[in-house]
């Protein structure tokens, strides 16, 4: 459906049309930046001070992925600034920083009624939603897609304004001026940004902004070359010396510290606690009781935590969640549950006349478990709430906090802080609600830090996945290899996790209400990645929405992790059954995807691939995250060796195509970090639930990899002219199947459950 002015006006007669028309009309926003003394504002993205410092506003949460370097780098490149004069500040919440690509990705989560009318109408609806709701969430690898062009345009406009100011001084045309390394020059004339900033701020830039001919780009380096980065991370020095300020570093006059206890994650209610046990514990400042949690504030967090331990709060639950019950439920649904067809290619399910090979794969719930547990600081005075916290969705956190204590959203000021890791955990805002209630109840500034136990109890893990894959294979002619896949069927039993998450984030629904509201609904986002990247004549993907009683959410890799684990393990099993070499078998099915083929070949070269022969210890996997031409790609070879204490992964060799590379150093960090995250998913421990609570709740229970567990990693980026893509998920989703295939090669045992060693070998 094409939306036109005539159509909108005609729709007014149907009632409400004028309101719809008003909502759809694009709006402009004044700059939300505020200049400090000596600073001058240049639009919504940057300020230039009299001393030449260029401060860039970053509307995305820094959680280790380097966004507070990448966006300023883009501005510095387009502006012609010296990297040493760049500073950063968090952008205030504003519609001008709307993350439209993410709103498009999640359109079905915030508006399930009007999606799919037409690409144009979906884009328009997403734009208006993101702008009107000040939606600048950090997720889905959308930062560059959302903000690179606005950053470049703002910087190009400021560059032109600086050139105009200089040209007026020198009596020349501004097009004659060059702007580079923090200086504006023309012949023998030269001036610094600081000298020109005040005059330049008054000029009107040309429309459209004069962008440089080429976007920022760095050439890929060989895997074994470790060159100094052209744009070192801005946050690195403060993280090294300990001065980087997280939410837990905020200090306010008269502030107290709070800890908290939550009940099991299935809607439990606080039943009792023993206040008499507090005798002898010093520095207590207050107890705040809620329906589902209990918090204590004290002079120190340790005193508050000791008080909670002594009080032994008890929670009542009607239907406690157990891991064994979840597995049994998924097991039943996988074969007997009602399935919804999510995707069909070729002749779809009709093409599968027989099942020559069928395999089942199981993926346990996975927890984000960032180093920094949920932390927030708040002050409630004169009907206003000041909130310091790390959040991937700041406006949604503001809304939730305001509703919790019954004030207008405009009465909440949120000061974003960086996160000590997130892996999508900080898309949830439970701690924003809790700190608002605690601060209002106590009437003084307070800082809340969740214990690790409560981070696991209250966190929503990535959903469990039970998957059944079947394939029909071609019979090879005499003298030719068989095993070509003619048709494939993928059945996935998992909760509609994306819809459930959307109900919490956008609908402000409680945990259990979100589960009830989405029960039985098909969820394409929950099975993303189940369509293989290969040219298979017929594929059908079915989703069986599972109600498991356990709240689930987003964790790094999201649905791509489980589905790619199953697909790449299954492809390896078919190759073994057909006596086909795993690399050439994959290459034969790639069709026209030359980019993924190049990644496979390069990864094999890096690893000195020997064909994955028995006992070689090498395993291969690849992934393409998306269907569009600019989807990022990765191939990885894992090498495992028998050693003291069992089989160890000794090397991961990865070839990556993320299109144009903006910052090679940060991209490599993201891939390496993702590979380590994937090692934790593959070789860590499953969190077992009994009575809705983890059987073990400390960091050690997760079995996360230590530095000693990290193998040699060789990462090679491919030269590419595709649009720049985010590398953050790639390593996390490709490492588990590569490791599973390597362990099969090393031991002859096929492990089909994640974590791979959850049931032992």
């Amino acid at each position: 459906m094409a939306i036109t002015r005539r159509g909108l006006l005609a729709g007014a007669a149907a009632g409400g049309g004028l309101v719809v028309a008003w909502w759809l009309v694009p709006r402009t926003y004044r700059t939300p930046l505020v200049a400090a003394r000596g600073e001058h504002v240049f639009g919504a993205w940057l300020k230039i001070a009299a001393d030449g410092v260029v401060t860039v506003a970053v509307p995305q949460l820094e959680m280790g992925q380097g966004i507070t370097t990448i966006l300023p780098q883009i501005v510095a490149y387009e502006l012609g600034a010296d990297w040493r004069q760049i500073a950063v500040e968090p952008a205030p919440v504003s519609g001008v920083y709307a993350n439209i690509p993410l709103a498009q990705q999640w359109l079905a989560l915030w508006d399930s009624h009007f999606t799919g009318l037409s690409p144009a109408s979906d884009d328009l609806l997403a734009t208006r939603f993101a702008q009107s709701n000040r939606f600048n969430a950090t997720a889905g690898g959308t930062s560059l897609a959302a903000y690179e062009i606005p950053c470049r345009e703002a910087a190009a406009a400021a560059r032109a304004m600086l050139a105009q100011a200089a040209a007026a001084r020198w009596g020349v045309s501004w097009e004659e001026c060059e702007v580079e390394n923090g200086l504006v020059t023309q012949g023998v004339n030269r001036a610094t940004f600081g000298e020109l900033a005040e005059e330049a701020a008054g000029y009107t830039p040309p429309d459209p902004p004069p962008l440089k001919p080429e976007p920022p780009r760095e050439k890929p380096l060989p895997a074994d070359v470790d060159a100094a980065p052209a744009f070192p991370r801005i946050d690195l020095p403060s993280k090294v010396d300990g001065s980087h300020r997280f939410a837990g570093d905020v200090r306010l006059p008269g502030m107290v510290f709070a800890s908290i206890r939550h009940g099991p994650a299935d809607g439990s209610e606080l039943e009792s606690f023993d206040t008499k046990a507090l005798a002898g514990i010093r520095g207590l400042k207050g107890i705040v009781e809620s329906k589902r949690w209990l918090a204590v504030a004290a002079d120190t967090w340790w005193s508050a935590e000791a008080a909670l331990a002594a009080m032994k709060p008890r929670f009542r639950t009607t239907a406690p969640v157990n891991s064994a019950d979840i597995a049994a439920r998924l097991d039943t649904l996988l074969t007997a549950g009602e399935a919804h067809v999510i995707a069909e290619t070729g002749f779809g399910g009709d093409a599968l006349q027989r099942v020559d090979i069928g395999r089942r794969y199981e993926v346990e719930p996975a927890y984000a478990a960032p180093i920094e547990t949920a932390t927030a600081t708040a002050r409630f005075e004169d009907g206003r709430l000041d909130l310091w916290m790390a959040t991937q969705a700041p406006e949604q956190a503001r809304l939730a906090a305001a509703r919790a204590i019954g004030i207008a959203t405009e009465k909440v000021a949120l000061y974003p802080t960086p996160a000590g890791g997130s892996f999508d955990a900080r898309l949830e805002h439970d701690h924003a609600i809790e700190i608002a209630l605690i601060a209002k109840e106590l009437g003084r500034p307070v800082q809340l830090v969740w214990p690790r136990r409560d981070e696991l109890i209250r966190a929503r893990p990535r959903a469990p996945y039970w998957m059944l894959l079947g394939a029909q294979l071609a019979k090879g002619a005499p003298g030719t290899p068989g095993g070509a896949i003619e048709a494939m069927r993928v059945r996935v039993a998992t909760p509609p996790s994306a819809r459930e998450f959307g109900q919490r984030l956008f609908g402000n629904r409680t945990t259990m209400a979100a589960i009830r509201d989405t029960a039985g609904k098909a969820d394409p986002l929950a099975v993303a990645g189940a369509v293989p990247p290969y040219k298979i004549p017929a594929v059908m993907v079915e989703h069986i929405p599972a109600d498991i009683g356990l709240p689930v959410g987003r964790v790094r890799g999201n649905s791509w992790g489980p589905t790619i684990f199953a697909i790449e393990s299954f492809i390896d099993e078919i190759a073994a059954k057909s006596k086909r070499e795993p690399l050439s078998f994959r290459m034969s099915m790639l069709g026209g995807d030359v980019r993924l083929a190049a990644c496979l070949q390069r990864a094999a070269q890096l690893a000195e691939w020997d064909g994955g022969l028995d006992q070689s210890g090498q395993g291969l996997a690849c992934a393409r995250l998306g269907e569009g031409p600019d989807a990022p790609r990765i191939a990885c070879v894992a090498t495992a060796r028998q050693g003291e204490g069992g089989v160890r992964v000794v090397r991961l060799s990865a070839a990556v195509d993320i299109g144009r590379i903006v910052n090679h150093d940060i991209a490599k960090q993201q891939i390496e970090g993702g590979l380590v995250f994937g090692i934790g998913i593959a070789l860590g421990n499953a969190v077992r639930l009994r009575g809705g609570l983890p059987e073990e709740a400390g960091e050690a229970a997760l079995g996360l990899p230590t530095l000693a567990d990290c193998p040699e990693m060789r990462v090679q980026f491919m030269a590419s002219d595709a649009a720049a893509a985010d590398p953050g998920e790639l390593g996390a989703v490709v490492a588990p199947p590569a490791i599973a295939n390597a362990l099969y090669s090393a031991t002859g045992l096929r492990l089909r459950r994640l974590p791979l060693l959850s049931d032992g070998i």
Side-chain angles (χ1 to χ4, degrees):
M1 181 187 76
I3 296 180
T4 65
R5 178 178 180 273
R6 177 182 176 85
L8 287 171
L9 292 175
L18 287 177
V19 175
V20 174
W22 172 84
W23 191 79
L24 288 173
V25 170
R27 303 179 212 166
T28 58
Y29 300 87
R30 62 182 181 180
T31 177
L33 297 186
V34 177
R37 179 177 298 180
E39 286 186 329
H40 303 279
V41 175
F42 289 76
W45 291 91
L46 67 141
K47 301 182 290 185
I48 302 178
D51 60 1
V53 172
V54 178
T55 300
V56 180
V58 176
Q60 297 278 271
L61 174 66
E62 176 61 76
M63 44 191 172
Q65 82 278 35
I67 196 62
T68 50
T69 295
I70 290 176
L71 292 186
Q73 172 190 341
I74 292 167
V75 169
Y77 164 82
E78 193 69 50
L79 180 62
D82 189 310
W83 185 238
R84 293 169 295 182
Q85 70 187 107
I86 298 294
V88 178
E89 70 177 36
V93 177
S94 169
V96 75
Y97 304 116
N99 188 339
I100 296 170
L102 185 58
Q104 292 168 333
Q105 277 189 23
W106 289 356
L107 199 151
L109 306 186
W110 53 264
D111 185 349
S112 59
H113 301 292
F114 297 103
T115 61
L117 295 177
S118 75
S121 63
D122 284 356
D123 291 348
L124 184 56
L125 287 168
T127 299
R128 291 307 308 126
F129 168 82
Q131 292 175 342
S132 299
N133 291 275
R134 296 180 284 199
F135 179 66
N136 66 320
T138 309
T142 54
S143 294
L144 281 173
Y147 301 115
E148 181 179 20
I149 291 300
C151 281
R152 290 189 64 198
E153 290 179 343
R159 170 166 44 82
M161 294 162 75
L162 290 166
Q164 288 172 334
R169 283 189 181 188
W170 303 328
V172 299
S173 168
W174 73 268
E175 290 88 353
E176 299 179 50
C177 298
E178 294 185 1
V179 185
E180 192 174 1
N181 296 324
L183 296 172
V184 182
T185 61
Q186 187 274 325
V188 296
N189 299 313
R190 57 183 283 149
T192 66
F193 285 6
E195 293 169 343
L196 296 168
E198 183 174 4
E199 302 164 47
Y203 279 85
T204 300
D207 186 15
L211 295 175
K212 292 184 176 180
E214 290 292 326
R217 178 193 299 270
E218 292 188 1
K219 293 181 179 179
L221 298 173
D224 297 323
V225 173
D226 193 14
F231 296 89
R233 289 184 67 130
I234 290 178
D235 56 354
L236 186 60
S238 60
K239 286 182 175 178
V240 170
D241 66 22
S243 62
H244 204 70
R245 298 190 67 187
F246 297 92
D249 298 316
V250 174
R251 295 293 181 267
L252 301 173
M255 189 177 81
V256 295
F257 301 85
S259 187
I260 198 167
R261 286 290 185 277
H262 299 91
D266 55 356
S268 57
E269 296 183 10
L270 180 63
E271 188 174 65
S272 65
F273 51 91
D274 182 10
T275 55
K276 295 179 181 179
L278 296 177
I281 299 179
R282 298 182 178 181
L284 297 183
K285 299 300 180 183
I287 300 172
V288 181
E289 176 184 352
S290 180
K291 183 178 181 180
R292 305 199 187 280
W293 49 265
L294 180 70
V296 173
D299 286 340
T300 68
W301 185 86
W302 298 106
S303 294
E305 176 65 11
L308 282 168
M311 293 166 71
K312 298 180 179 178
R314 296 175 60 87
F315 294 85
R316 179 177 64 255
T317 181
T318 56
V321 177
N322 297 298
S323 292
D325 296 336
I326 293 174
R329 177 68 172 159
L330 291 169
D331 186 63
T332 300
L333 289 172
L334 184 60
T335 54
E338 181 183 357
H340 302 262
V341 176
I342 299 298
E344 282 190 285
T345 66
F347 292 103
D350 293 339
L352 190 69
Q353 300 298 310
R354 65 180 188 276
V355 176
D356 295 319
I357 179 172
R359 295 292 185 268
R360 167 173 152 163
Y361 302 90
E362 301 170 0
V363 177
E364 299 270 11
Y367 290 76
I371 293 176
E372 178 192 41
T373 61
T375 303
T377 303
R379 176 176 56 206
F380 184 74
E381 291 181 358
D382 301 325
R384 296 185 61 86
L385 178 69
D386 293 318
L387 192 57
W388 290 262
M389 63 182 291
T391 169
Q392 291 177 247
E395 184 64 2
Q396 283 61 45
R398 288 180 69 226
L399 286 166
R403 289 169 179 162
I405 58 177
I407 62 175
T409 309
E410 290 71 24
K411 297 289 186 180
V412 179
L414 190 147
Y415 303 95
T417 65
S422 176
F423 315 121
D424 279 353
R426 298 302 163 244
L427 280 165
E428 306 284 354
H429 47 243
D430 302 74
H431 54 313
I433 295 170
E434 293 166 357
I435 192 66
L437 291 167
I438 294 169
K440 184 178 181 181
E441 178 75 16
L442 297 180
R444 63 190 301 170
V446 59
Q447 184 175 101
L448 171 67
V449 178
W450 285 9
R452 175 61 61 186
R453 166 193 178 276
D454 286 76
E455 179 76 24
L456 287 178
I457 291 173
R458 194 59 178 168
R460 285 87 177 186
R462 186 180 68 192
Y465 283 69
W466 258 232
M467 294 165 283
L468 193 60
L469 279 67
Q472 176 177 310
L473 307 180
K475 305 298 183 182
T480 63
I485 303 173
E486 293 180 333
M488 181 184 292
R489 183 180 182 186
V490 181
R491 285 175 61 88
V492 183
T494 189
S497 53
R499 289 186 180 275
E500 180 187 324
F501 160 75
Q503 286 284 306
R504 291 194 302 269
L505 186 67
F506 299 114
N508 200 38
R509 302 291 283 163
T510 64
T511 297
M512 299 313 293
I515 293 176
R516 290 193 300 269
D517 292 348
T518 58
K521 294 183 178 179
D523 188 350
L525 289 177
V527 294
V531 176
Y534 306 105
K535 193 79 171 178
I536 297 174
V539 175
M540 183 171 72
V541 175
E542 298 172 303
H543 177 210
I544 305 162
D547 183 354
I548 60 173
L550 176 69
V552 293
R554 292 177 60 86
V555 172
R556 188 178 193 175
N558 295 293
S559 64
W560 298 96
T563 57
I564 289 172
F565 166 71
I567 292 293
E568 285 301 292
S569 296
F570 191 51
I571 294 297
D572 228 59
E573 294 209 50
I574 294 174
K577 176 182 173 68
S578 306
K579 295 181 170 51
R580 300 283 298 274
E581 189 270 327
L583 174 61
S584 61
F585 184 57
R586 286 174 169 82
M587 294 288 289
S588 70
M589 296 188 294
L590 283 177
D593 195 342
V594 295
R595 294 173 62 196
L596 188 54
C599 288
L600 279 164
Q601 290 175 324
R602 184 59 182 140
Q605 292 171 354
L606 289 172
E608 299 177 343
W609 172 255
D610 61 5
L613 302 174
D614 289 346
Q615 307 300 312
S616 75
Q618 288 193 324
L620 179 66
C622 64
R624 182 182 67 212
L625 270 58
E627 297 300 323
D630 296 324
R633 293 155 168 84
I634 187 169
C636 178
V637 175
T639 304
R641 293 280 185 267
Q642 295 275 3
E644 186 177 347
V647 180
R648 291 178 56 88
V649 178
V650 297
R651 178 188 287 182
L652 293 173
S653 305
V656 189
D657 187 337
I658 57 169
R660 173 172 51 87
I661 302 170
V662 176
N663 187 304
H664 188 279
D665 188 55
I666 289 179
K668 186 177 181 181
Q669 292 172 21
Q670 282 286 81
I671 295 297
E672 291 177 342
L675 291 172
V676 173
F677 192 93
I679 293 172
I681 294 292
L683 302 177
N685 299 330
V687 176
R688 304 294 186 187
L689 299 176
R690 180 179 297 173
L693 298 173
E695 292 181 353
E696 297 181 60
E699 288 92 338
L702 296 170
L704 299 177
T706 65
L707 284 175
D709 299 317
C710 294
E712 174 192 357
M713 287 182 279
R714 305 183 73 195
V715 177
Q716 171 74 65
F717 289 96
M718 311 300 290
S720 177
D721 291 325
D726 180 79
E729 312 284 330
L730 291 170
V733 303
V734 80
I739 292 171
N741 294 336
L743 293 181
Y744 170 73
S745 173
T747 66
L749 296 176
R750 180 65 69 177
L751 304 173
R752 301 188 182 98
R753 171 179 282 195
L754 281 180
L756 296 171
L757 307 181
S758 54
D759 292 328
I761 293 184

